[in-house]
Each structure stands twice: as C-alpha cells, then as structure tokens.
Amino acid sequence: MVKTKKPEPFKRQEKNMKNTHPAEMNEVKVNDPYLAPRIRQCLETTIPKSVQHCRTDGRINAFKLQWKEGMPDKPHVFWDSDVAKVLEGMAYAVQLTRDPEMEKELNEIVDLVVSAHQKDGYLNTHFTVVEPEKRWACLNSAHELYCAGHLIEAAVAHFQATGRRNFLGAMCRYADYIASIFGRGRGQKRGYPGHEEIELALCKLAEVTGKKKYLDLAKYFVDERGQSPSYFQKENPQWTSRNLENHQALKPVREEKNAVGHAVRAVYLYSGMADIAQATGDKELLRACEAVFDSISQKRMYLTGGIGSERSSEAFENDYNLPDHSSYAESCASIGLVFFASRMFNITGDGKYMDVLERALYNGIPSGISLDGYHYFYKNLLRADHNTHWLFQKTRLEWYDCSCCPTNFCRFLPQIGSYLWSANEDGVKLNIPAASVYEADGRKITVRGDYPYGTEIEVEFGTGAEFTFSMRIPLNCSASFSLNGKKVSPVPEKGYVSFRRTWKKGDLLKVSLEMPVVVFRAHPELTFNAGHLALMRGPLVYALESIDNGGRNLSQLLISASQSFKLSKAKGLPPGTIALKGTAYEELLPENHLYTQGVPKFRKTSFTAIPYALWQNRGESGMTVWVREYFG
Amino acid sequence: MVKTKKPEPFKRQEKNMKNTHPAEMNEVKVNDPYLAPRIRQCLETTIPKSVQHCRTDGRINAFKLQWKEGMPDKPHVFWDSDVAKVLEGMAYAVQLTRDPEMEKELNEIVDLVVSAHQKDGYLNTHFTVVEPEKRWACLNSAHELYCAGHLIEAAVAHFQATGRRNFLGAMCRYADYIASIFGRGRGQKRGYPGHEEIELALCKLAEVTGKKKYLDLAKYFVDERGQSPSYFQKENPQWTSRNLENHQALKPVREEKNAVGHAVRAVYLYSGMADIAQATGDKELLRACEAVFDSISQKRMYLTGGIGSERSSEAFENDYNLPDHSSYAESCASIGLVFFASRMFNITGDGKYMDVLERALYNGIPSGISLDGYHYFYKNLLRADHNTHWLFQKTRLEWYDCSCCPTNFCRFLPQIGSYLWSANEDGVKLNIPAASVYEADGRKITVRGDYPYGTEIEVEFGTGAEFTFSMRIPLNCSASFSLNGKKVSPVPEKGYVSFRRTWKKGDLLKVSLEMPVVVFRAHPELTFNAGHLALMRGPLVYALESIDNGGRNLSQLLISASQSFKLSKAKGLPPGTIALKGTAYEELLPENHLYTQGVPKFRKTSFTAIPYALWQNRGESGMTVWVREYFG
C-alpha cells in the first residue's frame, strides 16, 4: 500500500461505541490451507479472467462512449458496476502484491473510466449513450446510483493502492453532483437508490477524504428511504407494497424489525446504515441494524450463511422459509452479509456477529466459486438432485450476463485478511484463527496451524508492546490455552478470550481446539429440513455428494446422530481437506412403485461428506447438506 | 341428446383389441355425494360464469373479426381454444339438461364463431385480424392447430347436442383445408402442432363423420412428429433438444419410452395416439402408449394423479422428481390424463388404467376447482406453507389471462358420467361404483350408495337381458358380494369382477367394500416425501390443513403409521364429507434457534385430515398431503 497520508477524519463518535476497525488487508498475510489458496487464485486467475470478460463483452469499451443505436455491445444499466468491482479487486491485488503489470492495467482502465466523466460531474455509460433522456428518471430499477456507488468504492481503492487521485477526484465531483440532485432542498429530487450500495460507498468516500458532506448524503439516502408518499410509487404508480418491501422501501428503515426484500440490496443498505451509525453515534440507527441482523441470523439464514431464499425476487422470505433445494442464497448476498457482520462486530465487539461472518466466509461464499477460480454459482443450493431438469444452475458457469457475483469475488477475496483481524488503540483481536501474520502499529503476531482442519494453533508475538490480545472461540469449538508453556484459563466474554499484558518478542500462546463433529437439527418450521440433520466441524458445514456415495439419490440415505464420525482424507480435493465418514442406512427401492403400503426397508452402509463449499468440483453430482435422520 | 343418425363408421379393428367404449354422457345420471355436486355446479355456475368472462374480456367478440391495431382486447393466439372449450361444455350441458336458454346461447355463439370462417376454410381470430401474414409460420408456439383442434371438438359436441350441422360443416372444411396444407405431398408443409390436441379432435371428427381422411390427417401429425430434420428447428434454429423434448418432438413418438415434456400437450398427444391405435389396430402405436402410460404411473405422477412437476416448462420431470411444494400438476394435465387413461382402459380392458383415472378424477382434478364452482387452481400443490411469499398461487382465482384450466372444467365435469361406465356388445362395466343410473342399449342399471365415503353399494338391474356385468374393485378397497341375497365370490381379473347371466328386472347385487385408511409411503427417491407418509381411504387422498391443526406449520407435525385412524364429520365442508382423525406428535419449537444441537422434543397431540381435493375452501391455510412419519 502506498502510504497515502490519511486526511484528518471528521470526528468519530468513538466514545459512544467500542469501536475496533478491521485490519487493513495489507496488514495481514494469510497462510492457511482453506482461505489462502482462494486469495492467491483470485489474484492469479479470478481477476485476470474477469478483466478479460469485461474487455471481450464490451463492458470496458463502454466507457469510450462510442456506442450508437444498431451497434453491438449496448451498455447495460449495470455494466459500470461490474467494471468498478473488477477495478476495486485489481486495486486490492496491487495492494497485496505490488504487481507492476496489474497496476499498469488498473491505471489504464481507470483512465478510460475517468475519460467518460461528464462536465457536470455525471458518469454512467448507459445513461450517457443509450438513454440520456432518462437520467435519474427510473431510480427504482435502473441501477444508476448503484453503479455510482461501485465506482466510488473502486476510486477509493484505486487511490489507496496507487496514490493516484484522478479517479477519486472524479468520483468526488460525481458525488457532489449527486448531492446537488438529491435532497430535501428546493428543486431537489426526494429520491434514493433502487439498488442500495452508494450509502456505504459514500461513507468510505467521507472517511478517505475527511469530508462530512458525503456522510450526510449517505444519511439522506438512508433516512429518505421508505418515507411516505413513496418516491418509487411516484416513479411507477403500478408498484405494490410488495415491490416496495422488496426494495426495503415500504417503511422508514429505522422502523424495520425484519430483514426484508432483495437480499443483496438489503445487506448493502444495512452495511451503510451501520457505517453511518458508527460515524455519527446514531444509536437509533444502530438498534435498527441490530434488529435486522437478529432477524437474519435467528430466522432467515441458511446453515451456510446463505441469505435470500425467495427466488423470483432474490429476496428474504418470511421467517423459517428456507427451502434447501431451491435456495437462492446468492453469492453476492453472503458477501454483503460479511460486510454487514464485520461492521456490526467492529462497532459492538459482540462475537455473535463474527459467528455469522465466519459461517458465511467458510461456507456460503466459497461455495460460489470453483476451485479453479473462474467458475461461479449465482445461487448456492443446499440440495441438488443430480437428475432433475428443474434446477438449472447445478454447475458453476464462467460468466453471466448479469455478472455481479463473479465481479464481487474479484473484490471480496483479496479482503479476507482484513476480516480475520480487528484492532484499536487498546489491542488486537484475532477474529478467526486461520494461519496468518498480522503486522500493524508496531504489533506483529503470527498465527500457525491448519485451521479449519487442524485443531492446534500457535500464536507467536513478534514484538514487545503492551496491548490486549483477544481471540474468538471459533464456531462449534471449545479451546484450552497455554501461554509460554503454562496453562491459562481465560473466561470468554461475548465469544472472545482476552489477554492483556506487555508482550515480549517470542511469547507463545498455544491454543488447542476441541473441534468435534457436531450434529445440527433445524427448527421444525423449516419444512424441508425437519426430520433431517446436518453435520458441521468447526466452521465448516459438510455435505454429501452423490459421487462419493454410490451415485445414489441422497434422499435414499439416512444417518443416525449417535455414532462416532471419522475424519479422513478427502479424495480429489485440495491436500489437507478433511472428509467425514460414518455409518448410514440406505432405504431400499421398491420396484415400479412410486407409492407403496409396504414398510420401508433399510440396509446398513457408509457415507462420506465433504466441506460444503467444495462441492461440484469433481464433476456433476447430487448434493445435500441436510440428511434424513435415522431412528432405527 | 338429439338422436343424430350415426354415419357408418370406417371399419374399426375391433377384433384386434378388446374394445369397450365409454358410456355416452347422457346415458349416465350421476347421483353420488362427491362427483354429482361438481357436475351440477358446473352446469349452474362454472359454464355460465365462463361464458360471461369470455364475453367481457373479448374472447367471444374476437370472432367478429373487427379488431384493429390500437383497439383493446387484441385476440390472443389461444383465445379461440377457450371459447371452443366453453362451447363444448355448453353442448354437453345441453345434452344433460336440454336447457333451452343454454341451447339458445350456445347456438348464438356458434353462429358467431362460424361467421369467422374464411372462404379458404381457415378459422382463427388471431391470425385473421392480428398477424394474417404469419398464418402457419410459427407452429412451434402459436397454438394455431391447437385452437383448430378445440374448435373441432366443440363442433362435434355441438352437432351431437343439437343436431345442427353448421359448425361441424365449417370444421370439416377447415380440416380439409388443413389437410391440404400439411402432409408429405409436393408443396405441402411437413409441420405438426406445437401444442397437440388436434390429433384426438380429428379422430372424433372421423368417427362422427365416418370419414377416414380425418383419421389419416391425425395419423400424419402423430407420425411426422419428432422426425429428423426437425420442423420446429427449421422454424426456429435457436431451438435446443430440450425445446424439442418439451414439445414431444425430440424423437418419433413410436420410439418414446418415457412421458416427456409439457404435460398437457403430452397427454393430449397420447390420447390421440390411443385413438389412432384403436381405430386402425396399430399395435406398435399402442405399445408406445402403454410405455408412456407406465412411465407416468410408475415414475412421474403425484399421489393425487397430478402430472407435470417442472414448473418453468409445465413439464414432466425425470423419474421420481415430484416436489410436493412446487408441484405444477396443472389441472388441465390431470384432465388430459383421464382422457388418456380412459382410452387405454377401453382399448385394453386393464383396470390399471382405471386406477389412474380414478386417482385423478377424485383428487388431482377436483382440487383445481373450488366448491363454489368458479375459482380455479392452475397448479395443484401438494404442500403449501401458509406463510411463504414464494408460492404465489395459494388461493384459487376466478379467471386467468391464460384460462385453459377454467374452460377445461367447463367441458370436463359434464363428461364425468361417461367415465364411470363402459360398455360393448358383450356387456357393461361399472368402472367406479359412484351412485348413478346407467341406461343404454336396453340395459338399465342403478347404483346406490355413498361411495367414496360409504362402503355399502347396491347395484340394481332394471331390465331383463343377457349380458356380462363387470365391476372394478376401487382403489385401496377389497369387496365382498351378494347377489339376490346369496354370497358370491367372483375372482377379480385385471381389477374387475364379472358376472355373466341373464339379468332379471330387480336383480340386486350388494357390494360391501372394505375401505380402511391406508398409509402410503413414497419411493425414497422422491426427495421431499421420503420419511413421510400419506393417508388415503378408497380413492381419496387426504391432506392436513393448518386451519384444522392449530394453525401450525405442518412440518411441525408427525404421524405414526401404527394407530387406528378415526372417521368423523368434516367441519365446514359439504354434508357427508368424512374427515380422518388420529394421534400426532408436535415437534416443539426452540426459541430463537434456527439450528440447534439439541435433540428434538415432541408433544402428543391430535390431527385432522380432509379430502385433499377440498382444501382451500375455508380460507387461506397451509396444507400438506405428506406428513413426517413418527417412529417414537
């Protein structure tokens, strides 16, 4: 990272809240067997391939503003956002690797993007060359402010990675222009985004520039949302309350108790709300964030951290409506959930947010990308019957017309290190004990081990300094500790144990995790999981693939909860991957009978489960997370 | 029925097959407590309301051919079929009731329809006034031959009901014109319908006119289908094999072993194939019909006789893919399945076809229409969670833009009597022992009883004559018999018992059915039903509605198979309706836990189930046919 001198920030309300901040991504080097290969592959494959796609299909060229009616590659309303996310990912890659080729290409594309900047401050390819007469005319569905948000995020990342100010400057002028259009002043539009994103982007812009006006604009967008009369219904009188709810605009966001509507939009909005709450000390807004977070984690989230189960509108469903075979659980939504959970943790210090973050980070997010780094699920099923017509996307695809998920991986994966660690003046928090090296503010800490597969973790302190070191007990684990060879028994608080001392170079904290295979059952109102069980070990949700289980339809298999599961080497998956094995019962198939009065018959057999996120990497296969429970 | 002198039929190949024919609908008077009210309501409500809808939304006026660009009520490609089906239903109603008002209105609308007949023989509102340049240009999706088929069926029914020949004559000329366009001759198109229907209609036309040429045209359409190169792919080079399969056109129909593609189209096609097989003695075609029928009944049919589980293309899925909560199971498809099963039974005499017919007739079809006779399900779910967003059509609607299902009820319900009885020269078959009076060919037989609720049935012979009387043992029943007070023990063959004798007036056959509550389990590859059970009594599939069961989400309830179920009076449903009651176990709800390591806890309670077809008649409610099995 180029050490850009940080501008003096507007006064943060740190006193009101126990703020920590996530580590900067270049303060952390990730070395573990599960996340690090994903990050490496993102830099080597995911980002370059995505740049290539954006070039060949015209997304990048769109910024030349040369498109005319009748020409191919008509710029789509969401194209700018795809390019912006790839640029953001490239900027992070440059921060992590200082790769000069990558930096050169980043700057070239940025220069092209900036060249599309209009004199009045506007920057949007579609509404400049395709439908200029519709600028700001269709906020409810035209993704205009959403694209602006992603461009702002990209500009911030570009500035932080390269120190160049051209993109950031253009985006400041764009944000200023947007602030002139929208607001409660005379002649201004009382609009807000159809697809939220710009709120959190403006908070980043405020922080990096030190200009409170961008925070004010974000706050305006948040508070205007859902006010009556509805701006969206003014734009489109056909819109029903269902449409409004799907856009988190049925009521003012501060009054919302449930996570509702399009899941990606929701968690982007909630992340922006959390940013504003943190920056302004707005406790009412924080309460709203806490309520919607609990709604997600207690009633509207898959075991994998997937969210948004309603396919037709990609949205949160009512409580407990989480069909596993038709889960939408968009990759982007789980990524957005990590954004939200990270903010909530860093504001409150409550490990429950990190529990959700870890769940999504280890399961619902990596399931969206193949081990080769360039095939993607848009929807993340928790059950797939390998012989169905009716769920099309059973294999990951290389690109999508609507490619939000691939491009989100470009920018998300490089950030992973920053979620593993949090810090403030008082100390450092190891949120997830994946092997990594943290170094910042004169504090260097090295974590070794094979988490999430291995249970023995070493934390070595590399510098002498007085600070509190805290560590979260990971999902489904308990831990015992020894410090420099002496057993210590810290008491966990909100999921973390803490050690305050003057650390000496070479201090060694050994952490031994108990990480048993844990049997989970679902709330009985989860229609499709009632009577089933699921297996986790540590943060990893396990799944059965039919290719490991005799090619059977997996609804034929039952597993008893009371058995000892065995750990074994997974076949055809990355070295170190642990599979679970155990006893299963196969329900025998009656001949030519769909429906029978006969009593089911079972045969004892065995089963193999692999980490859910790694499914569909060895060819087409049926898969299920939830397995029928055997009571024989 | 006006006794229209039947023309001498082309030579039927009766020797080759044990043909019976369904009773004419006016040879049967249905008096039972389950079907008869549906028929009555159809005549009094379903048909008049549908006529009204067709008037107010322009479907009938379309035949004035006055529509011009810019006017409302643009004739849609499938509108003609809706009017035709309503006319067919009106004609049947006239046959059953001789209602002069109905007959007058029927003739008026028929005259309007006939007035749209073009000089060259063509009759289609859409392709006359909206897209005349596209006549026959888009067989794959434009429903042109489908509409023609329904108009032909309506014309045959109109002729049979009224003796008037104007509609029939117009349709003969239309069919002649179609035969001039399509075929293997020079300059002819080698096309066939995108939506099958005309095949079975042409067989009817051949039978009623005695003209073999219509049968030949039907046979051409059947045999040309699926030939290579594909006509549909010539029309639309984008079409994939999936598209072709969805239209039963991936391979020649004689080679097909599985029921595939759009379910309504499939069973209409198969019905036409069976007609041709019967009329021509084509055994190869009959074998193909048998294969696809077995594919349906053994691998691709819901317990209710619903078919077509793939929502996006309304199609058959692969074997055992029968999701209950997202069943498509279109009402029209079950109606078409009855058409097909009836033909197969009357050709082969095998009761297995009647088993499927009875299943659909008592469950999957009546579930599609409300007890008030004018609200309809398009899709027939087997499970509905009452608090989901994601399955919209949980309540029956009064009409649809695509109103094939409502109009199919208009013409199907009046026909029910004809499925209950079959006959040939040798004798009479009582296929389903619903209370009814059969009178034809000097044979009068009266069936009394409360089937499907009651178990005691009396069959009284009203005329002296020698013939074989056969009776099918209904679904899930066994039967004992006494003839004129003496116990008799006929041996069932292919599901029927037979009595050959010279019947005397007053002969009385008493049938006592054993009709226990039967517990069914699904093939374990039925992912969503594995581990569940379903209850039937006789032909009736039972379902739990949440409004009868404490408002619970029904996935919370479990039922043990080993218990004695109790029969009781159903509340809020028609007099005589029998509900089932028994012991259930309620899985208790953990607080604020979606997923728990705790062991499930149960509380003993009771459950109530009602006949599936009657659900959603007492307000919005969750419903399920399949209930978790309790093994405690």
Side-chain angles (χ1 to χ4, degrees):
Chain A
M1 187 180 185
V2 174
K3 273 288 167 195
T4 50
K5 187 172 172 304
K6 279 195 187 173
E8 197 59 31
F10 46 84
K11 193 179 175 312
R12 281 215 200 176
Q13 305 295 319
E14 297 225 346
K15 275 174 225 151
N16 294 323
M17 303 178 194
K18 297 186 203 159
N19 285 292
T20 51
H21 59 266
E24 300 287 346
M25 68 192 82
N26 58 349
E27 293 168 353
V28 181
K29 172 101 186 71
V30 186
N31 300 313
D32 77 319
Y34 192 83
L35 302 171
R38 301 289 193 154
I39 300 171
R40 197 164 48 242
Q41 196 141 45
C42 177
L43 307 180
E44 289 167 5
T45 306
T46 311
I47 292 174
K49 288 260 188 192
S50 295
V51 173
Q52 200 48 46
H53 281 296
C54 285
R55 288 198 188 280
T56 54
D57 68 8
R59 280 164 163 82
I60 288 175
N61 272 338
F63 286 93
K64 293 183 178 162
L65 303 181
Q66 291 170 349
W67 184 88
K68 291 199 171 45
E69 197 58 56
M71 290 167 68
D73 300 337
K74 176 151 89 174
H76 193 280
V77 289
F78 52 62
W79 274 13
D80 294 1
S81 70
D82 290 330
V83 175
K85 283 192 284 182
V86 174
L87 291 175
E88 189 184 343
M90 293 171 83
Y92 297 155
V94 168
Q95 285 205 31
L96 293 179
T97 65
R98 305 280 11 136
D99 175 349
E101 289 298 312
M102 179 78 86
E103 185 164 353
K104 184 161 167 265
E105 188 168 21
L106 167 63
N107 282 328
E108 273 171 20
I109 303 172
V110 159
D111 290 350
L112 175 63
V113 169
V114 172
S115 77
H117 195 209
Q118 303 294 295
K119 279 189 186 145
D120 57 5
Y122 190 68
L123 205 173
N124 181 299
T125 61
H126 177 90
F127 288 101
T128 301
V129 298
V130 182
E131 299 185 294
E133 73 286 3
K134 292 205 178 154
R135 188 190 286 193
W136 309 131
C138 188
L139 295 188
N140 62 54
S141 58
H143 290 53
E144 215 167 352
L145 290 167
Y146 166 79
C147 286
H150 276 302
L151 287 168
I152 290 167
E153 284 203 272
V156 170
H158 172 249
F159 166 67
Q160 290 177 324
T162 66
R164 291 182 69 206
R165 291 182 170 270
N166 61 332
F167 196 7
L168 186 69
M171 287 305 97
C172 286
R173 290 194 298 284
Y174 191 9
D176 293 340
Y177 167 66
I178 291 170
S180 76
I181 300 291
F182 296 98
R184 299 197 188 86
R186 212 173 143 157
Q188 285 187 300
K189 293 177 193 290
R190 295 280 289 258
Y192 40 87
H195 192 315
E196 302 92 322
E197 147 65 21
I198 196 169
E199 300 84 350
L200 73 88
L202 288 166
C203 293
K204 280 192 183 181
L205 190 62
E207 185 161 22
V208 79
T209 62
K211 290 182 177 158
K212 185 167 168 294
K213 63 181 176 180
Y214 300 126
L215 184 67
D216 293 340
L217 180 57
K219 189 164 177 308
Y220 159 76
F221 281 137
V222 163
D223 281 333
E224 189 61 27
R225 190 161 210 93
Q227 297 297 339
S228 194
S230 160
Y231 188 83
F232 290 154
Q233 284 181 325
K234 217 170 72 185
E235 284 191 336
N236 185 345
Q238 306 298 315
W239 268 36
T240 61
S241 20
R242 180 85 197 275
N243 293 120
L244 294 179
E245 189 182 77
N246 195 44
H247 289 70
Q248 296 85 34
L250 185 57
K251 55 173 93 159
V253 297
R254 288 166 191 272
E255 295 171 19
E256 189 57 78
K257 297 284 174 250
N258 293 309
V260 295
H262 189 283
V264 180
R265 299 172 192 194
V267 284
Y268 284 4
L269 168 66
Y270 305 152
S271 299
M273 286 161 59
D275 282 338
I276 296 164
Q278 186 196 35
T280 64
D282 184 334
K283 288 201 172 167
E284 185 188 59
L285 201 54
L286 183 63
R287 292 294 96 80
C289 290
E290 289 169 340
V292 294
F293 192 95
D294 288 348
S295 161
I296 294 173
S297 66
Q298 293 173 10
K299 292 176 180 165
R300 301 185 175 191
M301 180 182 72
Y302 288 100
L303 188 67
T304 56
I307 52 172
S309 58
E310 208 286 314
R311 289 205 156 197
S312 66
S313 45
E314 313 177 359
F316 285 105
E317 246 293 355
N318 292 331
D319 291 346
Y320 306 119
N321 283 296
L322 294 160
D324 53 355
H325 57 286
S326 66
S327 36
Y328 199 77
E330 188 175 337
S331 303
C332 287
S334 289
I335 288 174
L337 180 59
V338 164
F339 296 159
F340 182 32
S342 168
R343 284 159 168 82
M344 293 303 290
F345 168 73
N346 284 296
I347 294 172
T348 65
D350 192 331
K352 75 177 183 179
Y353 298 107
M354 214 28 93
D355 288 349
V356 166
L357 188 154
E358 188 179 34
R359 189 181 289 279
L361 181 61
Y362 278 82
N363 302 289
I365 295 174
S367 70
I369 183 167
S370 60
L371 287 170
D372 64 18
Y374 66 103
H375 290 83
Y376 310 90
F377 280 137
Y378 208 98
K379 326 184 224 296
N380 291 278
L381 301 176
L382 273 75
R383 171 188 295 275
D385 290 332
H386 58 299
N387 65 340
T388 45
H389 277 134
W390 48 281
L391 293 168
F392 338 108
Q393 203 203 313
K394 288 177 295 184
T395 53
R396 296 184 183 85
L397 303 181
E398 203 173 321
W399 191 245
Y400 293 86
D401 285 343
C402 179
S403 238
C404 55
C405 295
T407 56
N408 239 340
F409 280 104
C410 290
R411 69 178 188 137
F412 177 75
L413 294 175
Q415 298 182 46
I416 285 178
S418 70
Y419 298 113
L420 304 185
W421 296 85
S422 290
N424 60 12
E425 285 184 14
D426 179 56
V428 178
K429 295 186 181 185
L430 174 58
N431 300 315
I432 297 170
S436 57
V437 182
Y438 170 83
E439 189 167 11
D441 305 320
R443 301 158 177 170
K444 181 176 180 185
I445 307 173
T446 302
V447 177
R448 296 188 204 95
D450 290 330
Y451 186 84
Y453 297 122
T455 56
E456 302 310 306
I457 293 163
E458 287 185 359
V459 182
E460 186 178 329
F461 293 81
T463 47
E466 185 185 1
F467 63 91
T468 303
F469 171 76
S470 308
M471 177 186 155
R472 179 174 149 273
I473 312 297
L475 277 174
N476 305 312
C477 291
S478 57
S480 54
F481 301 87
S482 76
L483 184 55
N484 296 328
K486 275 186 207 153
K487 188 174 157 64
V488 287
S489 302
V491 178
E493 196 181 342
K494 291 193 172 178
Y496 282 70
V497 292
S498 295
F499 304 84
R500 177 149 195 106
R501 52 186 270 149
T502 304
W503 298 95
K504 288 197 267 320
K505 187 172 176 190
D507 275 352
L508 188 67
L509 179 70
K510 286 195 178 182
V511 186
S512 187
L513 296 177
E514 272 225 69
M515 199 198 272
V517 176
V518 179
V519 173
F520 278 92
R521 296 180 183 86
H523 190 284
E525 293 193 50
L526 267 70
T527 305
F528 304 103
N529 304 141
H532 291 65
L533 52 77
L535 303 177
M536 290 187 76
R537 181 170 175 268
L540 295 179
V541 173
Y542 275 75
L544 274 65
E545 274 200 289
S546 53
I547 52 170
D548 286 322
N549 291 282
R552 292 184 194 87
N553 185 318
L554 296 165
S555 64
Q556 232 188 303
L557 277 190
L558 295 85
I559 293 180
S560 160
S562 50
Q563 61 172 302
S564 29
F565 300 98
K566 285 171 201 59
L567 310 189
S568 78
K569 240 165 89 171
K571 281 185 195 148
L573 291 171
T577 303
I578 286 183
L580 303 183
K581 286 179 183 288
T583 301
Y585 296 85
E586 172 185 33
E587 183 173 343
L588 300 178
L589 304 177
E591 287 246 346
N592 293 334
H593 275 293
L594 264 177
Y595 310 108
T596 169
Q597 299 180 37
V599 175
K601 290 194 180 57
F602 300 95
R603 193 177 67 79
K604 199 169 172 177
T605 180
S606 61
F607 80 91
T608 300
I610 61 159
Y612 162 74
L614 306 185
W615 89 278
Q616 216 284 304
N617 272 296
R618 298 169 298 168
E620 209 170 306
S621 175
M623 181 278 296
T624 191
V625 167
W626 291 96
V627 187
R628 294 167 63 193
E629 181 163 3
Y630 185 73
F631 293 98
Chain B
M1 186 181 186
V2 173
K3 273 290 166 195
T4 51
K5 187 173 171 301
K6 278 196 187 171
E8 196 59 32
F10 46 84
K11 193 179 174 313
R12 282 217 201 176
Q13 305 294 320
E14 296 225 347
K15 275 173 224 150
N16 294 323
M17 304 178 192
K18 296 187 203 162
N19 287 294
T20 51
H21 58 265
E24 299 287 346
M25 69 192 81
N26 58 349
E27 293 168 354
V28 180
K29 173 102 185 71
V30 186
N31 300 314
D32 77 321
Y34 192 82
L35 301 171
R38 300 288 192 154
I39 301 171
R40 196 164 50 242
Q41 196 142 44
C42 177
L43 307 179
E44 290 167 4
T45 306
T46 311
I47 292 175
K49 288 260 188 193
S50 296
V51 173
Q52 201 48 47
H53 282 296
C54 285
R55 287 197 188 282
T56 53
D57 67 11
R59 279 164 163 82
I60 289 175
N61 273 337
F63 286 93
K64 293 182 179 164
L65 303 181
Q66 291 170 348
W67 184 87
K68 289 198 173 45
E69 198 56 58
M71 290 169 68
D73 300 339
K74 176 150 89 173
H76 192 280
V77 289
F78 52 61
W79 273 13
D80 293 1
S81 70
D82 289 330
V83 176
K85 284 192 285 184
V86 174
L87 290 175
E88 189 184 341
M90 294 172 83
Y92 296 155
V94 169
Q95 284 203 32
L96 292 178
T97 65
R98 306 279 12 138
D99 175 349
E101 289 298 313
M102 178 79 85
E103 186 165 352
K104 182 160 167 269
E105 189 167 21
L106 167 64
N107 283 328
E108 273 171 21
I109 302 172
V110 159
D111 291 349
L112 175 62
V113 169
V114 171
S115 77
H117 194 211
Q118 304 294 294
K119 278 191 187 142
D120 57 6
Y122 190 69
L123 206 172
N124 181 300
T125 61
H126 178 89
F127 288 101
T128 300
V129 299
V130 182
E131 299 185 293
E133 73 287 2
K134 294 207 177 152
R135 188 190 286 193
W136 310 130
C138 187
L139 295 186
N140 63 53
S141 58
H143 290 55
E144 216 167 351
L145 290 166
Y146 167 80
C147 285
H150 276 303
L151 286 167
I152 291 168
E153 283 203 272
V156 170
H158 173 249
F159 166 67
Q160 290 177 326
T162 67
R164 290 183 71 207
R165 291 182 170 270
N166 62 333
F167 196 6
L168 186 68
M171 287 303 99
C172 286
R173 290 194 297 283
Y174 190 10
D176 294 339
Y177 167 65
I178 291 170
S180 76
I181 300 291
F182 294 98
R184 299 195 188 88
R186 214 172 140 153
Q188 285 186 300
K189 292 177 194 289
R190 294 280 288 259
Y192 41 86
H195 192 316
E196 301 93 321
E197 148 64 23
I198 196 171
E199 300 84 349
L200 72 87
L202 287 166
C203 293
K204 280 191 182 178
L205 190 62
E207 185 162 24
V208 80
T209 61
K211 289 182 180 159
K212 185 167 167 296
K213 62 181 176 181
Y214 300 127
L215 184 66
D216 294 340
L217 181 57
K219 189 166 175 309
Y220 158 76
F221 282 136
V222 162
D223 282 333
E224 190 61 26
R225 190 162 209 92
Q227 297 297 338
S228 193
S230 160
Y231 188 84
F232 289 154
Q233 284 181 325
K234 216 171 72 185
E235 285 190 337
N236 186 345
Q238 306 298 316
W239 268 36
T240 61
S241 10
R242 180 84 197 274
N243 293 121
L244 293 179
E245 188 182 78
N246 196 44
H247 289 72
Q248 296 84 36
L250 185 56
K251 55 173 95 160
V253 295
R254 288 166 191 271
E255 295 171 19
E256 188 57 78
K257 298 282 174 251
N258 293 310
V260 295
H262 189 284
V264 180
R265 298 172 193 194
V267 286
Y268 283 5
L269 168 66
Y270 305 152
S271 299
M273 285 161 59
D275 282 338
I276 296 165
Q278 186 195 36
T280 65
D282 184 335
K283 288 201 171 166
E284 187 190 56
L285 201 55
L286 184 63
R287 292 295 95 81
C289 290
E290 289 169 341
V292 295
F293 192 95
D294 288 348
S295 161
I296 294 173
S297 67
Q298 293 173 9
K299 293 178 178 162
R300 302 185 173 191
M301 180 182 73
Y302 288 99
L303 187 68
T304 55
I307 52 173
S309 57
E310 207 287 314
R311 289 205 155 196
S312 66
S313 44
E314 314 176 359
F316 285 105
E317 246 293 354
N318 292 331
D319 293 345
Y320 306 120
N321 283 296
L322 293 159
D324 53 355
H325 57 285
S326 67
S327 37
Y328 199 77
E330 187 176 338
S331 303
C332 286
S334 290
I335 289 174
L337 181 59
V338 164
F339 296 160
F340 181 32
S342 168
R343 283 158 170 82
M344 293 304 289
F345 168 73
N346 283 296
I347 294 171
T348 65
D350 192 332
K352 75 177 183 179
Y353 298 107
M354 215 27 94
D355 288 349
V356 167
L357 189 154
E358 189 180 33
R359 188 180 291 278
L361 182 61
Y362 279 81
N363 302 290
I365 296 175
S367 68
I369 183 167
S370 60
L371 287 169
D372 65 18
Y374 66 103
H375 290 83
Y376 310 91
F377 279 136
Y378 208 98
K379 326 183 223 294
N380 291 278
L381 301 176
L382 273 76
R383 171 188 295 277
D385 289 332
H386 58 299
N387 65 339
T388 46
H389 278 134
W390 48 280
L391 293 169
F392 337 108
Q393 203 203 312
K394 288 177 295 186
T395 54
R396 296 184 184 85
L397 304 181
E398 203 171 321
W399 192 246
Y400 293 85
D401 286 342
C402 179
S403 238
C404 56
C405 294
T407 57
N408 238 341
F409 280 105
C410 290
R411 70 179 188 135
F412 176 76
L413 295 174
Q415 298 181 46
I416 285 177
S418 71
Y419 298 113
L420 304 184
W421 296 84
S422 290
N424 60 13
E425 286 185 12
D426 178 56
V428 178
K429 296 185 182 187
L430 175 58
N431 300 315
I432 296 169
S436 57
V437 182
Y438 170 82
E439 189 166 13
D441 305 321
R443 302 157 177 170
K444 181 176 180 183
I445 307 173
T446 302
V447 177
R448 294 187 204 95
D450 289 329
Y451 185 84
Y453 298 121
T455 57
E456 302 309 307
I457 295 163
E458 287 186 356
V459 183
E460 185 177 331
F461 295 80
T463 47
E466 185 186 0
F467 63 91
T468 304
F469 171 76
S470 307
M471 177 186 157
R472 179 173 149 275
I473 313 297
L475 277 175
N476 306 312
C477 291
S478 57
S480 53
F481 301 88
S482 75
L483 183 56
N484 295 328
K486 276 186 207 152
K487 187 173 157 61
V488 286
S489 301
V491 178
E493 196 180 342
K494 293 194 170 177
Y496 281 71
V497 292
S498 293
F499 306 83
R500 175 146 197 109
R501 52 185 271 150
T502 304
W503 299 96
K504 289 197 267 320
K505 188 172 174 187
D507 276 351
L508 188 67
L509 178 69
K510 287 196 176 180
V511 186
S512 187
L513 296 176
E514 274 225 70
M515 199 197 270
V517 176
V518 180
V519 173
F520 277 92
R521 295 178 183 89
H523 191 284
E525 294 193 50
L526 267 71
T527 305
F528 305 102
N529 304 141
H532 290 65
L533 52 77
L535 303 177
M536 289 187 75
R537 181 171 175 267
L540 295 178
V541 172
Y542 274 76
L544 275 65
E545 276 199 289
S546 53
I547 51 171
D548 286 322
N549 291 282
R552 292 185 194 88
N553 184 319
L554 295 165
S555 63
Q556 230 187 308
L557 275 190
L558 295 84
I559 293 181
S560 159
S562 50
Q563 61 171 301
S564 30
F565 301 97
K566 285 172 201 61
L567 310 189
S568 77
K569 239 166 90 172
K571 281 186 196 147
L573 291 171
T577 304
I578 287 183
L580 304 183
K581 286 179 183 288
T583 301
Y585 296 85
E586 173 185 30
E587 184 174 343
L588 300 178
L589 304 177
E591 288 246 345
N592 292 336
H593 275 292
L594 263 178
Y595 309 109
T596 168
Q597 299 180 38
V599 175
K601 291 196 179 57
F602 300 96
R603 194 178 65 79
K604 199 168 172 178
T605 178
S606 61
F607 80 91
T608 300
I610 62 157
Y612 162 73
L614 307 185
W615 88 279
Q616 216 287 303
N617 271 296
R618 297 169 298 169
E620 210 171 307
S621 175
M623 180 278 296
T624 191
V625 168
W626 292 96
V627 188
R628 293 168 63 191
E629 183 163 1
Y630 185 74
F631 294 98

